[in-house]
Amino acid sequence: QRFDNGVMVFEYPANPLIVPQVCLRFNDILNVGATGRHFTAFVMPGQHAFNYPKEGYWKNDTIDLNFRFLTEVLKIPKEKLVYVEDLWTMPDFSALGPYIETFSLGLELCNSGFMYFTWKNGLEELPIKVVDVGWGLERLAWFSNATLTAYDAVFGDVVNKFLTKTGLEMDLTLFKEYSKL
């Protein structure tokens, strides 16, 4: 990375690029352990493409690549995919654009951000357009393994050892109903 006229400019080793992003999330900490789907620390594989239209790829190619991964690799029937579009923005509005969340059976699998605007003295196009997709790695493992909770998919051995050592038994029928809430 370098500074150009006071603006940080990133130089990337490849385009497109996949980067593991370690994330900490504390805003829903009360749900951790209770719902079977919340984590405070997780890895989000980031899928990026930069500088469209000169390089990389853009919105249609991103959606097509991700759709093919979900339907051909994970074998999710296309009828089970739901797309929701919204607006994504950096907190300082230095980059913003459409944001498409991809769900299956109520579970968010990935979110695709397309940054091509900035807001300074009004809406302006960015000189470099960026694809920024975040995949829920633990959610993909959970979804593809079809376990009761994300913890079973990610920490299965630990969960089993904990239950064995403590002598606790889960009421799976009750938990299935509770976790929906």
Side-chain angles (χ1 to χ4, degrees), residues 114-132:
F114 303 97
M115 296 177 281
Y116 63 103
F117 292 111
T118 186
W119 187 277
K120 293 181 182 170
N121 297 320
L123 195 63
E124 301 172 24
E125 278 199 40
L126 288 168
I128 296 176
K129 294 168 179 51
V130 176
V131 170
D132 183 1

Side-chain angles (χ1 to χ4, degrees), residues 81-166:
L81 294 174
V82 174
Y83 295 90
V84 177
E85 187 168 14
D86 203 346
L87 176 69
W88 181 89
T89 179
M90 293 288 285
D92 64 355
F93 297 101
S94 59
L96 58 111
Y99 175 80
I100 299 173
E101 296 173 308
T102 306
F103 294 84
S104 186
L105 303 175
L107 183 65
E108 181 185 356
L109 299 175
C110 74
N111 51 65
S112 306
F114 303 97
M115 296 177 281
Y116 63 103
F117 292 111
T118 186
W119 187 277
K120 293 181 182 170
N121 297 320
L123 195 63
E124 301 172 24
E125 278 199 40
L126 288 168
I128 296 176
K129 294 168 179 51
V130 176
V131 170
D132 183 1
V133 179
W135 289 90
L137 184 60
E138 83 289 347
R139 291 177 175 212
L140 293 173
W142 180 22
F143 193 89
S144 62
N145 284 288
T147 58
L148 181 60
T149 72
Y151 310 130
D152 296 313
V154 177
F155 306 115
D157 288 342
V158 174
V159 171
N160 292 334
K161 286 178 184 176
F162 173 80
L163 293 173
T164 300
K165 286 193 180 261
T166 61

